[in-house]
């Protein structure tokens, strides 16, 4: 029966027509996204306290972060495909329920094994939840202007949520207990799941009921886990470590095999058309690079503010507020207002360049740097640029995609962010550590007193941060260049967006009814 046919005496519904509850649904989707993004940074603040309470060794503490990153990064494509197969609403609600249960387990952890297991479970359900959330937006908001607003809100949360996590994590750790950084997820998840269950109405005809591509699932999962673990290990053990090199080689072989399999199987896990389309490929690549720069900076600024400047966790969180304000402004005011008027590359390219300018401010960091003179304008510009660029990137990554592929297309956005985060943390941390070691080795001999030696150590740390931030500036410029050259889509609602020509009734998102 046609999707536009009338049922049970109801008036006919136009295929792809807007859902009356879509704005209410956005509230719950945004809430779930905030929970996932918060979790990426909130646990970092609580880590020292949790390590002490649970008796986790220094060598093992990285697994609190790594267990989550491996499960989340490795299973994202599988999670996206499951959302396409089961239905995004079902995957979304199940992901929220599982994430809440895993968070309760983490908060109640009595030893390191229980903590690592809870973090891995959070990653598993996060990998189901994140692509389902983004693909729901992609199939529910089809009108150009409405899509711009919805993705503006989503982009602001995706970009600024991490910094909010630093504030919330600081408050919970300082005034309550580190366990609350896990328990706080439960009310978020319960409210978002209940709201989604009653409010979200997924458009019909968007499921991909093809049989699951098991070889693709195995190769992509193991390949991505090897890649993320390789970068994580490089951070702690060095780039020349034999297991680190082995992980990179294994990842390259497995992912190459994955591409070969996907090109041949009838129902691939990741249809290559999703990533080979010029605009989406440009978004995944430029977004991944930008995240490399951003994740490294979060890490360095947190250490700089707490170790060098002596800020408390709460004060450190508040110090990041200008970045959050910049992201929200860039995403909801600049990006949303201009997205239907200019081509996406003219928002993404300049956005990344403005962010690079903010990074350039932060290369001036010294021990006695003024917050108002350097950190404030730097973070404001960084947030403004990233917010402006993130918003059209999130929308373009899923625009023109067949509804049955929306889950995997959304998963690729999350994968580029997750892998970018792992690379950024490892790569920039290595650059910083190398610069610090070199600086201290050259100057420590001239420091005669203990206070002078401590000063040289601090100066060395700051030198390491600024060296890595210079590298991040270059990465953001490269992201801008890729966005400006690869992405050639016209403005939504104006010139045809590449990929939109694929739309056919019964197979694609129908062209939405004009709303005036």
């Amino acid at each position: 029966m046609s999707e536009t046919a009338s049922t049970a005496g109801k008036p006919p519904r136009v295929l792809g027509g807007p859902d009356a509850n879509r704005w209410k649904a956005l509230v719950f989707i945004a809430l779930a996204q905030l929970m996932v993004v918060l979790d990426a940074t909130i646990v970092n603040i609580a880590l020292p306290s949790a390590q002490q309470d649970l008796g986790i060794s220094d060598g093992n503490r990285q697994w609190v972060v790594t267990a989550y990153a491996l499960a989340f990064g490795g299973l994202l494509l599988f999670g996206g495909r499951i959302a396409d197969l089961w239905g995004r609403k079902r995957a979304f609600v199940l992901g929220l329920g599982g994430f809440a249960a895993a968070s309760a387990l983490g908060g109640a952890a009595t030893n390191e094994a229980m903590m690592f297991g809870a973090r891995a479970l959070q990653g598993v359900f996060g990998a189901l939840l994140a692509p389902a959330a983004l693909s729901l937006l992609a199939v529910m908001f089809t009108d150009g202007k409405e899509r711009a607003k919805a993705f503006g809100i989503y982009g602001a949360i995706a970009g600024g949520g991490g910094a909010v996590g630093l504030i919330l994590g600081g408050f919970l750790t300082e005034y309550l207990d580190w366990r609350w950084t896990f328990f706080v997820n439960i009310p978020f998840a319960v409210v978002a799941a209940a709201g989604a269950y009653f409010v979200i109405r997924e458009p019909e005809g968007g499921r991909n009921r093809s049989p699951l591509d098991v070889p693709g699932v195995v190769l992509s999962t193991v390949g991505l886990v090897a890649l993320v673990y390789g970068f994580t290990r490089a951070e702690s053990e060095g780039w020349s470590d034999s297991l680190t090199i082995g992980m990179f080689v294994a990842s390259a072989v497995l992912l190459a095999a994955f591409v070969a399999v996907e090109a041949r199987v009838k129902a691939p896990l990741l249809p290559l058309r999703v990533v080979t389309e010029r605009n989406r490929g440009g978004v995944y690549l430029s977004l991944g690079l930008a995240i490399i720069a951003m994740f490294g900076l979060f890490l360095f600024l947190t250490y700089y503010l707490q170790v060098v400047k002596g800020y408390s966790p709460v004060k450190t969180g508040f110090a990041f507020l200008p970045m959050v304000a910049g992201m929200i402004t860039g995403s909801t005011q600049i990006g949303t207002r201009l997205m239907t008027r200019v081509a996406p590359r003219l928002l993404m390219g300049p956005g990344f360049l403005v962010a690079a300018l903010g990074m350039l401010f932060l290369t001036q960091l010294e021990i006695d740097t003024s917050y108002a003179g350097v950190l404030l304008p730097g973070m404001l510009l960084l947030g403004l640029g990233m917010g402006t660029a993130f918003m059209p990137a999130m929308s373009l990554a899923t625009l023109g995609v067949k509804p049955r592929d929306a889950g995997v297309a959304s998963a690729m956005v999350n994968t580029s962010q997750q892998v970018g985060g792992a690379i950024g943390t490892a790569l920039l941390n290595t650059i910083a550590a190398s610069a610090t070691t070199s600086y201290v080795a050259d100057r420590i001999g001239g420091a005669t007193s203990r206070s002078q030696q401590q000063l040289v150590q601090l100066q060395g740390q700051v030198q390491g941060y600024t060296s890595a931030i210079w590298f991040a500036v270059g990465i953001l410029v490269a992201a801008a260049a890729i966005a400006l050259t690869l992405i050639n889509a016209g403005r939504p609602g104006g010139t045809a967006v590449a990929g939109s020509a694929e739309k056919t009734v019964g197979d694609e998102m129908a062209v939405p009814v004009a709303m005036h």
Side-chain angles (χ1 to χ4, degrees):
M1 188 176 184
S2 169
E3 290 184 28
T4 56
S6 145
T7 56
K10 292 180 183 175
R13 184 173 72 81
V14 179
L15 176 60
D19 175 8
N21 285 329
R22 62 197 178 283
W23 290 108
K24 289 179 188 173
L26 175 62
V27 173
F28 300 112
I29 293 169
L31 189 64
Q33 173 66 11
L34 179 62
M35 181 187 74
V36 173
V37 176
L38 281 177
D39 199 71
T41 51
I42 199 170
V43 174
N44 289 349
I45 294 281
L47 187 52
S49 306
Q51 182 185 353
Q52 192 175 358
D53 270 13
L54 301 178
I56 302 172
S57 68
D58 284 347
N60 282 344
R61 72 178 171 192
Q62 61 153 332
W63 285 101
V64 176
V65 176
T66 306
Y68 178 84
L70 292 181
F72 188 71
L75 291 169
L76 271 166
L77 282 176
F78 183 45
R81 177 66 182 87
I82 289 293
D84 287 336
L85 182 65
W86 289 353
R88 285 135 209 135
K89 176 178 173 177
R90 186 181 295 173
F92 183 71
V93 173
L94 181 65
L96 281 166
F99 201 92
S103 297
L105 191 66
T110 53
N111 55 51
E112 61 178 37
M114 195 170 166
M115 170 61 77
F116 301 155
R119 288 292 283 159
L121 268 180
Q122 279 186 315
V124 168
F125 287 104
L128 183 62
L129 172 61
L134 186 55
S135 57
L136 275 170
L137 280 193
V139 297
M140 290 176 79
F141 289 90
T142 51
D143 175 76
K145 287 186 178 177
E146 289 198 344
R147 188 179 174 91
K149 285 180 189 172
F151 276 90
I153 294 164
Y154 186 88
I157 289 168
V164 176
L166 294 171
I167 301 171
L168 190 57
F171 261 108
L172 294 172
T173 305
E174 209 164 307
Y175 298 116
L176 288 171
D177 184 71
W178 65 265
R179 295 181 184 277
W180 282 98
T181 60
F182 286 90
F183 292 144
V184 74
N185 290 330
I186 298 168
F188 273 103
V190 169
V191 171
Y197 183 80
F198 291 110
V199 167
I200 290 176
R201 183 174 65 91
E202 193 177 343
E204 296 167 35
R207 288 201 197 173
N208 183 347
R209 299 184 187 275
S210 306
L212 200 58
D213 167 23
V214 177
V217 170
V218 174
L219 288 169
S220 69
T221 302
V222 181
L224 285 170
V225 164
L227 182 63
V228 174
Y229 184 59
F231 279 109
T232 305
R233 189 171 173 85
E235 185 188 353
S236 57
E237 303 298 325
W239 295 90
S240 58
D241 174 69
S242 57
L243 186 55
T244 302
I245 295 166
M247 282 293 160
F248 287 136
V249 171
S251 171
V253 171
L254 288 162
L255 293 177
F258 171 67
V259 172
V261 166
E262 298 309 274
R264 288 174 174 80
V265 296
K266 189 177 177 183
L269 172 69
L270 175 63
L272 295 183
R273 62 181 176 268
V274 171
V275 287
T276 53
E277 197 277 312
R278 177 174 178 161
N279 290 289
R280 282 193 288 275
V283 166
Y284 298 145
L285 194 54
S286 59
L287 202 58
L289 283 172
I291 292 289
I292 289 174
M294 185 110 182
F295 259 66
L297 184 79
F298 266 142
L299 185 73
F300 298 137
L301 282 187
T302 302
Y303 276 114
Y304 174 78
L305 293 169
Q306 289 194 20
V307 178
V308 179
K309 300 296 262 185
Y311 284 20
S312 68
V314 173
K315 193 175 178 184
T316 300
F318 276 108
F320 277 99
L321 276 181
M323 193 188 293
V324 179
M327 278 182 178
I328 292 170
T329 304
S331 197
T332 61
Q333 300 305 310
I334 301 171
T336 300
R337 291 172 190 273
L338 294 181
M339 190 177 133
T340 52
R341 299 177 189 176
V342 300
R345 69 178 181 277
L346 299 180
L347 286 173
M348 289 179 66
F352 289 138
L353 289 175
V354 169
L357 184 62
M359 285 275 197
L360 210 53
F361 262 89
L362 298 171
T363 59
Q364 309 307 307
L365 286 182
E366 291 176 3
I367 287 180
D368 56 353
T369 293
S370 148
Y371 178 83
V374 174
L375 286 158
L376 178 64
M379 286 200 278
L380 204 53
L381 284 169
L382 182 68
L384 205 59
M386 285 294 202
T388 302
F390 266 44
M391 193 256 143
M394 292 287 184
S395 177
L396 190 58
T398 53
L399 193 63
V401 178
K402 296 180 180 183
R404 65 171 189 238
D405 293 337
V408 287
S410 302
M412 273 304 298
V413 178
N414 286 286
T415 302
S416 67
Q417 288 180 293
Q418 187 65 25
V419 172
I423 294 171
T425 306
L427 182 65
L428 297 182
N429 219 18
T430 307
I431 292 165
S434 174
T436 297
T437 304
S438 175
Y439 183 94
V440 172
D442 288 345
R443 291 166 178 79
I444 199 74
T448 52
S449 67
R450 183 169 174 77
S451 61
Q452 285 178 327
Q453 288 173 350
Q454 286 177 335
L455 182 64
V456 168
Q457 294 281 1
L458 282 179
Q459 286 171 336
Q461 281 188 35
V462 176
Q463 178 67 29
Y465 302 154
T466 55
S467 299
I469 292 170
W470 270 112
F471 205 87
V473 171
I475 293 172
L476 279 173
V477 171
I482 288 167
L484 288 167
T485 53
L486 267 187
I487 296 169
N488 65 354
R491 61 186 177 85
T495 52
V497 176
S500 61
E502 300 170 338
K503 296 176 183 172
T504 56
V505 175
D507 192 33
E508 283 281 351
M509 227 183 286
V511 178
V513 181
M515 294 171 65
H516 296 293

